[in-house]
Each structure stands twice: as C-alpha cells, then as structure tokens.
Amino acid sequence: MRTEHDASTAIDTYLQQHETKSLLRFITCGSVDDGKSTLLGRLLYDSKLLFDDQLAALKGDSLRHGTQNGELDFALLVDGLSAEREQGITIDVAYRFFSTERRKFIVADCPGHEQYTRNMATGASTADLAVVLVDARKGLLTQTRRHTYICGLLGIRHVLLAVNKMDLVDYSEDVFHAIEADYRELADSMGIAQVSAVPLSALRGENVSSRSDCIDWYDGPSLLEHLETVQVAHVADDVGFRLPVQWVCRPDQNFRGYAGHVVAGSIAPGDEVVVLPSGARSRVARIVTAAGDLPRAGLGDPVTLTLTDERDISRGDVIAAAAQPPQAADQFAAHLLWMDEAPLLPGRSYGLKIGARTVSAQITEIKHKVDVNTQEALAAKRLELNEVGYCNISLDHAIAFESYAHCREMGAFILIDRQSNNTVAAGTLNFALRRADNIHWQHMDVDRMARARIKGQAPACLWFTGLSGSGKSTVANLVEKRLHALGYHTYMLDGDNVRHGLNRDLGFTDEDRVENIRRVAEVAKLMVDAGLIVLVSFISPFRSERRMARDLFAEGEFSEVFMDTPLAICEQRDAKGLYAKARAGEIRNFTGIDSPYESPEHPEVHLHAAERSAEAMAQQVVEALVGQS
Amino acid sequence: MGVSCRLPHMDKSAGHYANGAAPTRIRTDINGSNMTNFDALAHASHLKHLESESIHILREVAAEFRNPVMMYSIGKDSSVLLHLLQKAFYPAPPPIPLLHVDTTWKFREMIAFRDRRAQETGCRLIVHINQDGVAQGIGPFAHGATVHTDVMKTQALKQALDKYKFDAAIGGARRDEEKSRAKERVFSFRNAQHRWDPKSQRPELWNLYNARIAKGESVRVFPLSNWTELDIWLYIYREKIEVPSLYLAAERPVVERDGALIMVDDERMPLRPGEIPQMRKVRFRTLGCYPLTGAIESEADTLPAVIQEMLVARTSERQGRVIDHDPSASMEKKKQEGYF
Ligand SMILES: Nc1nc2c(ncn2[C@@H]2O[C@H](COP(=O)(O)OP(=O)(O)OP(=O)(O)O)[C@@H](O)[C@H]2O)c(=O)[nH]1
Ligand SMILES: [Mg+2]
C-alpha cells in the first residue's frame, strides 16, 4: 500500500520532471489532403495518450464519417467540427497537447485549403517549428509554397519536411530525394535556415513514431524522434529591457503600479527606465507580485512595476531600459498578410494593435505584393484575401517598437477593420521610415507630418512683402479665398490681427520692426507645424529679416511673394492717408519715405501690380503654390 | 469544507530534497518510469509559462472590455481561474466580478464552498438562477439531462449576460477537454444572440487579442485554453489552491444508474425500484449538477494520490458527464447555441 508520503514524493518528483521537460510548439501544414490531420492523429494514437472513451469514439466516428472503409481514420481525432467531419477537410486549427518521456508538445493542426489560410497563420504565429507535409505523388504545390512563405514571414526557422503517402509510391527513394531537393531550394529562397526531411506514411504509421522497415534506405530518425530532439531554442537578441504596460494598477492613493509582462531583457529595483513614447525617465522602485516582491524579473514574467517618481503612464506605453531605449516612430515599412474578404484599401483608416497599444493606421503605399509561387514582387493597388504585401504604414501616434526579427512582441501587429471589427491583417514591422527622434527630450504624439496628412496638404508659408498700400493684403485675401475654395486649410497673418494683439507693445523703430518680423515669423512657423498654409502679409522691408524668417522653415516650405508696386502708385492710392502724414512729417520711419525698402532679389513669386489685376495676381500665386487648377 | 493542499515533507532535513547535485534515484510507478529527484519545484518553467499567458489574457480583458465577468462554476478550473485573477491584479482586488449560474442542482458542498471563497477573496459574486425554469419545475429527473441543461444552464447564462450586459465572459474551458474546444479561440466572438460560428472565427495571431465588438455582441474568453487536466492539478498542488473536497475520495452514498455512479446528495433524488444508496469510497473528476455527474470509485483521498490516479487513468474526465454522451459533436452544437 502506498502512503501519502510516497504519493507526494512521487508527485513532487513528477512535477519537477514535468517542469523541466522542454516544450515544443509546432504546426502541421501543407497542401489540401496531404495528410496533416492523419499524421497528427497518428502521433496522438501512437503516443498512447488517448483515453479509452476517446478511442471508442474514434472507432464509432470512423464507421460513420471515416474515409478508410471503417478502418481507423486518424484525422477524425483532430477534425473536431461537424462541418469538417462531414466534408473530410480541416477548416480551423486544432490545438492538441501531448508529451513523451523527453518533451512536451503543443501542436496546431492547420487547414490546407487556401480559403482558410488565415487560420493556418493563426496556428503558425505561435509555433517554433513547422512540419510541412507533401504528398509523395504530387510534390510541391502552391499551398506548400504559400505555407512555407508564411512560416518564413512569421519567423519559423525550422521546418521538418514530411514526405507523406510513401506507401502510394512504393516507398521510392528517388521520389523522396527529388521532393526533398525541390523543397530545400524553396526553403532556402524563403530564408528558412533549418530543414530536415523524413519519408513516411501517416496512414500506416511508417516513420511516424518509430522507424519503418519498409523504408530501409532511410537511416534518419522518425518524425517523433526528430521532434523530441530538434533544438529550436535560439538566443534572444539583446534588445534591452522592455515591458509594454497592459494595465495600470491603482487600488488606492498610495499605490500606482504598471502591470505587464517582460518581453525582452530583465529588470531589478533601482534600474533606470525610460517610458515610451513620452520619454519620461525614472527608476524602478519595486517589482510587485502576489507571491512577494522580486529582486529581478526576466523574460515572460508577469509583474507589476512601481517607479520612484510620479509619471504619467498609461496602457500601451512601453517601459524600457534607459540605457537601451527602443526607437519610436509613426511610419514603417512592414509585411502584411491580408486576411479579409474585402480587400485592403490604401488610405483607409484601420485600427492597429501592437503590444498593449491600439492606434489608427493607414497603408500609405503598397510597395509590392508577393507571388507566393514564384516569389516575384508584383505591382499592386490593393491586397486581396490571403495575399502578402510589402507596405508603408503611417500611424496617428508614434509607437515604441523593434523590428519583428529582433523582438516579436514589439514588432508584431494586427489590423482591425473599424466597421466590421474583424481582424483583417497580420503584420510584421521591418523598420521605421522616419524616426521620431525628438522623443528623448519632449515627445509629441502627433507630429507635423501627421497633422499635414490629416489635412491632405503640404503646409507652407507665403510671405507677402511690399510697400505700404502695395496691395499685399488685397491679393493675400484673394489667394486665401481661392485656396479655401479648393479645400486647403489656411490662415492669414497681417498687421491688423498681429499689431493689435501679439505685437501691441511694438512701435516702428528698426529694433521693433525686427522684433515684429521675428515674432510673426515664429507664429507662422508654429502654424506651418500645425499643418496650415499660412499667408503672412507684412511690409517686412529688410532683407535680413526676411532671410531670418526663411531660415525658420524647411526647404520648399517658404515662398517670398514680392508685391512690386511702384511707390508712386502706392502713394497715389494712400488708402489710409499714411503717405500724406509721412510727407507732412507726422509719422517717422515710414517705409519708402524716410526708411528704406530693400527689394527681394530672388522672390519665388514676383507680382507686377502695375500691369495686372488683383485677381490675376492671386491666380499667379495659387498656381505657383499648388500648380494649375 | 474544502481541501487545502500542503506540500508534505518539503523541508531539506527529509533528505530527498538535499542539493540537487547528486540525485537519489527512486522508483515510482507513475507511467512506469524512473524518476530523478532534484531540488523539487526549483524550476517551474512550464507551469510558469502557462500562468504568465493566462495572466496576460486576464489583464487584456480588464483593460479592453467595459463590463467583463468571470464565470465561476466552483470546480477545479474555476478555482485556478480565481487564483490567477487574484494574481493578475495584485495588490488591487480583482476588477472583474464572478458569475455563478446556479441550476439549483449543484452539490450542496459546492454552494457552501462558493459563498465562502467569494467572501475570502473579496470578489463580488453574482448568482443567477433561471426563475422561469424554477417556476416550471425544470429538473434533471423530471425533464432529462438535455432539457435541464438547456433551460437551467444555457438559457440561464444568456439571461444573465443580457441582464447585466456583460461584454466579456471569462470561462475555464480548456482545449484538451473536447474536440470542438480544441478548435476555439482564446477570445471567442459571440453575436448578439450569443451564437458561436465555428466556421468563421476571427484570426488570432500571437498574443494580440481583438476585443472589438459592436453593441450587443460579446466575447467568451478562455485563459486556460492551453492547460491540460494534468497541468491544472499540478498547479493546484504547487500553488496550494483550495478545491472542494468532492475531488477527493470519501465514503459517499451512491446508486449505480445507467452505468454511472450517482451520489444521492439530497432528498430530491427519486430512487428507482430496487435502488438502495450504498456507501462507497468515490470521488469526482469534474463537478456539476449532482444527478448528471458520475463518480469514480477511488482510494485517492489526498491530492497527490488523485494526481497519481489521473496519470494512469484510461478514461477522460468528460466520461463522468452524463450530458456529453449525446450524439457526437453535441458539444459543438450546444456551444453554438450559447453553452459555455
Ligand atoms: N495512402 C495513404 N493515404 C493517406 C496517408 N496520409 C493521409 N492519407 C489520406 O489522405 C486523405 C487526406 O488526409 P487528411 O489527413 O484529412 O489531410 P489534411 O492534409 O489534413 O487535409 P486538410 O486539412 O483538409 O488540408 C485521407 O483520406 C487520408 O486517409 C498516407 O500516408 N497514405
Ligand atoms: Mg487536416
């Protein structure tokens, strides 16, 4: 009789063994009917882990639905949906669990039909290894290539090629070697480093769990032996500590913790961290868990961090090693697997979920799509169901990220359709097209490009310069009206709305004129940052001030518009009676009278007021800005 | 009454656990294999991995849904879920309430256990009973397993979800339990009628769960998807999680009916001619409505002994459930109709 002592000692031992066994997550994939489900069912059957009631059910099911004339149809062990059993195909992934003396396995049996590629991708996304089946009679098919491509895309580095149905080709060595050679070439071109090949018959159990007598020319391991011994562990790239904040823990006023799990590196109390994308810095105070504080947390640990300083941190932010911060960016090059019946439309807004963060995303450009058969890059305007494309993506917020190849959790994302709420694409980030480098001092979630994009325009500053009464404001007003009618977002800065407010404290001395222009130029710059087309209409008589204004802007953003109206005409108009006062000496430092006007040498737009109507000149400015319209 | 599991003889002085360096070989009969005895529990990789995945899922639910709930059915899986729920949000109390759909035919011990555990953990507990069913006198003896389960469990669940407008319901189902469960997503979408469409599930890549739904729709969430029955028991053992003592063998009054051992838990059970309740040493592998839950004869009255028995078991835990012996694929059908 066993005592409790014996039992618990045995269980402790068993638990320990259970715990130290390594885990292999793999999928079975390949083309329709190549025998994936049969193979997996066979593995489960051979592992002797099936219960009596499950075996009895299998016998009954085989009689009712089986494809084997009443013999055991192992596929029925995994094809668990009634539609699958009726049609004899796999529709969705089945997850099964089994273990041997040496290893534990989680296996996802994937469907072969092209229609269900998204389900195959679902299974492949969490796998370390893929068993790719090929029917010995058929060789490589389109779906073999598609699945292999997706495995490569999702970062599976190990493939076990199972050349199945060897019983139907007389266990021919030549057939096996020909398929193996074809496949190695394919895998090579898709960046899959490790390929091993096994000839087998899933139906007959040859080379599945034990070596086959029928295939005496093959002296490698059986499929199961291979699965038990293959080394898939790879040393994770040292990208530094990363923890995407999932949930802010705030039970009371005295505790504020950030819950998430460590996706890279490790952390200890006292370590300096930076929060992305805000760029705020602090130190880790405690690593809190229900089982007590930890002295260190590593890969995969679900923890709650507290920091030494009050920081504004919310779900979706990333806490990272201050010495090794990730980049943040809002534009990326990425691969996309499109998984929805409705095609991907560039320009449309989708929800993008990465880590614990969801932002708005637009595909700005499909650089190409991939023909999975030939791997050719093809031009494309849209992506259809099950197509893979290489795209530029633009987000409304900058995010902290790593390339998928370096850190899956920081580089994998899904796209969600805003109307249907469906998961419509899986993506892997490759690199940032433009970094948000400013994050290290002060990060702005929405930057000038984002603001401009939402307005659908290139921001610009049109700087109207000319004598008092030359017609700057008149023409600028007309220009603004036209631009507005064309759907552009504009704003006008002129003496009237600036001198009375912002620059109320300034007079007309040379210093004050310079300061006047400086302030106006800075305001114009902010407005260009905001994504607007800004029309500035100031006499701005000095070249150097106009130069200073120009230098605040990026190349191509600033245009000088010279209202070239002869002084005589201005003076003749004298709408505000200022020339008369200046001539009478009542106003000092009046441009053109007792203060110089320095004409622009190379204005972007030169308007000859003496020869043209205000409308014609406005048209000339609009055309110079946005082209013929 | 419940059992809390301790790890007996874990102090180093017991000898077996001294320094893993030179392992002592002992023979056990578990799976007929030799086992090596290291510093026990020192490495906790596999269960730790499962725990981490489940906690991640629970936090996602709390963060993404407006009004989530956790289905609490009092069994071993629910006990593990409740434990994980406490861990996930510590030191805050779990921000997710518990819902028990009471069919009124649960073992009496289960109800007492439920109320006590809710109190101890400080979780809000919502109990829902289908009062229409009660008014009609629906029960497993009068109406049979199928009608009873449909009215008092499936319909009752839908009533509760509609009444409280829960947009996410967390359940303890595992993929290793049953062949259609093996196909289900972790975040499993339900339309406004609570129906599951197994033929067009949302893709679910990596650990990026899509929680977006329209008004009236909901998601069933299964944080224990990748756990096996063995993992559950080993975790209960390792974490010293309390489970109802019905899981341990004890002398209980049972009758043998249609090949199953049914415990006579209260006076509502009508005895058939010739049936006399007998005291037998039995335990349960799953817990549900007592008239629908078959016991197994067992000597295993401690947790380690239960685990040991399980390791050599020849039948699945579902064997004990009367409801599952309907025609094949019945679970899928029930799930499509809203069953958990
Ligand atoms: N002769 C022979 N037939 C096999 C073998 N393996 C599978 N089959 C048969 O091939 C057919 C398809 O098998 P499945 O296992 O359903 O194929 P599958 O790859 O899972 O198909 P999908 O999942 O629908 O893509 C069944 O009739 C199997 O019995 C084999 O080794 N030899
Ligand atoms: Mg299949």
Side-chain angles (χ1 to χ4, degrees), chain B residues 97-147:
Chain B
L98 310 181
L99 170 66
H100 180 227
V101 175
D102 190 348
T103 61
T104 74
W105 289 89
K106 300 293 172 192
F107 290 93
R108 281 172 301 164
E109 185 198 325
M110 289 170 70
I111 300 301
F113 183 86
R114 173 195 76 191
D115 294 341
R116 184 166 57 73
R117 289 299 291 149
Q119 180 125 51
E120 284 166 3
T121 56
C123 286
R124 185 158 81 92
L125 171 70
I126 300 165
V127 176
H128 182 81
I129 296 174
N130 182 352
Q131 295 299 345
D132 300 342
V134 173
Q136 291 169 45
I138 303 285
F141 296 119
H143 299 85
T146 309
V147 171

Side-chain angles (χ1 to χ4, degrees), chain B residues 44-92:
Chain B
S45 64
H46 183 58
L47 291 177
K48 208 174 132 187
H49 174 84
L50 291 172
E51 179 189 68
S52 171
E53 182 181 72
S54 302
I55 287 176
H56 175 81
I57 293 164
L58 289 170
R59 287 171 174 169
E60 283 299 291
V61 175
E64 294 246 7
F65 290 95
R66 205 174 22 82
N67 190 20
V69 72
M70 197 184 97
M71 306 301 299
Y72 182 65
S73 65
I74 315 167
K76 60 185 189 301
D77 304 305
S78 286
S79 297
V80 167
L81 265 189
L82 183 57
H83 185 76
L84 292 168
L85 194 69
Q86 290 179 283
K87 282 198 158 186
F89 302 104
Y90 179 87

Side-chain angles (χ1 to χ4, degrees), chain A residues 2 4-21 23 25 48-55 61 64 76-85 87 90-97 101 104 106 109 116 118-119 121-123 125-126 154 246-247 249-251 255 259-261 288-292 299-304 315 337 339 353-356 358 404 408-409 412-414 416 418 420-423 425-428, chain B residues 6-10 16-17 26 28-31 33-53 55-57 59-60 62-64 86-93 95 175-177 179-180 182-185 196 198-214 217 225-231 234 237-238 285 302 304-305 307-308 310-311 313-319 328-329 332 336:
Chain A
R2 243 177 282 133
E4 184 184 343
H5 180 160
D6 291 338
S8 57
T9 304
I11 296 307
D12 291 342
T13 311
Y14 183 82
L15 185 54
Q16 200 275 328
Q17 197 200 40
H18 178 82
E19 287 291 286
T20 47
K21 260 189 215 174
L23 171 73
R25 287 191 78 138
K48 306 224 166 31
L49 289 172
L50 295 176
F51 294 120
D52 290 347
D53 53 320
Q54 291 170 331
L55 274 178
D61 290 346
R64 200 161 347 125
L76 291 173
L77 280 173
V78 280
D79 287 338
L81 300 176
S82 50
E84 294 177 327
R85 301 153 86 81
Q87 298 170 46
T90 305
I91 292 174
D92 213 328
V93 203
Y95 294 90
R96 301 298 302 242
F97 310 84
E101 292 281 297
K104 296 144 90 65
I106 298 181
D109 178 43
Y116 308 121
R118 56 185 166 215
N119 297 336
T122 293
S125 68
T126 50
L154 298 181
Q246 263 192 295
W247 187 74
C249 182
R250 208 80 237 259
F255 188 91
H261 70 271
V288 180
T289 77
L299 203 60
D301 289 342
V303 292
T304 299
R315 172 172 164 82
L337 168 63
M339 307 190 293
K353 185 169 182 183
I354 178 165
T358 304
Y404 184 78
R408 282 194 188 191
E409 268 100 342
F413 65 91
I414 55 171
I416 301 171
R418 292 183 182 285
S420 69
N421 289 323
N422 277 336
T423 306
T428 57
Chain B
R6 280 159 296 105
L7 294 178
H9 316 293
M10 279 299 287
H16 289 314
Y17 299 92
I26 56 164
T28 78
D29 55 359
I30 296 173
N31 277 355
S33 64
N34 281 325
M35 292 191 186
T36 315
N37 189 9
F38 291 90
D39 209 352
L41 312 187
H43 305 90
S45 64
H46 183 58
L47 291 177
K48 208 174 132 187
H49 174 84
L50 291 172
E51 179 189 68
S52 171
E53 182 181 72
I55 287 176
H56 175 81
I57 293 164
R59 287 171 174 169
E60 283 299 291
E64 294 246 7
Q86 290 179 283
K87 282 198 158 186
F89 302 104
Y90 179 87
R175 285 171 173 156
D176 80 324
E177 276 179 70
K179 60 187 179 301
S180 68
K183 296 263 167 184
E184 194 162 6
R185 301 282 188 256
W196 178 50
K199 280 188 285 182
S200 63
Q201 301 193 76
R202 284 180 177 174
E204 189 169 82
L205 286 98
W206 302 289
N207 58 0
L208 294 173
Y209 302 108
N210 177 356
R212 296 293 159 115
I213 49 171
E217 296 168 345
S225 285
N226 289 327
W227 296 56
T228 64
E229 187 187 7
L230 179 61
D231 296 325
L234 291 177
Y237 179 67
R238 197 190 78 175
R285 281 179 75 179
T302 64
I307 297 174
Q308 231 167 1
M310 192 190 50
L311 288 170
R314 291 300 312 151
T315 56
S316 75
E317 60 187 306
R318 294 229 145 230
Q319 173 81 353
S328 199
E332 178 186 348
Q336 283 185 39

Side-chain angles (χ1 to χ4, degrees), chain A residues 152-182:
Chain A
L153 181 65
L154 298 181
I156 295 178
R157 295 154 202 236
H158 297 262
V159 165
L160 184 43
L161 174 71
V163 180
N164 188 30
K165 308 198 186 181
M166 289 300 292
D167 54 308
L168 300 179
V169 294
D170 290 333
Y171 300 102
S172 156
E173 185 174 2
D174 293 346
V175 169
F176 171 74
H177 287 307
I179 292 176
E180 181 186 2
D182 283 356

Side-chain angles (χ1 to χ4, degrees), chain A residues 295-321:
Chain A
R296 176 163 288 279
L299 203 60
D301 289 342
V303 292
T304 299
L305 298 184
T306 64
L307 303 183
T308 52
D309 312 88
E310 281 264 326
R311 291 284 179 254
D312 179 15
I313 302 175
S314 42
R315 172 172 164 82
D317 289 348
V318 173
I319 301 178

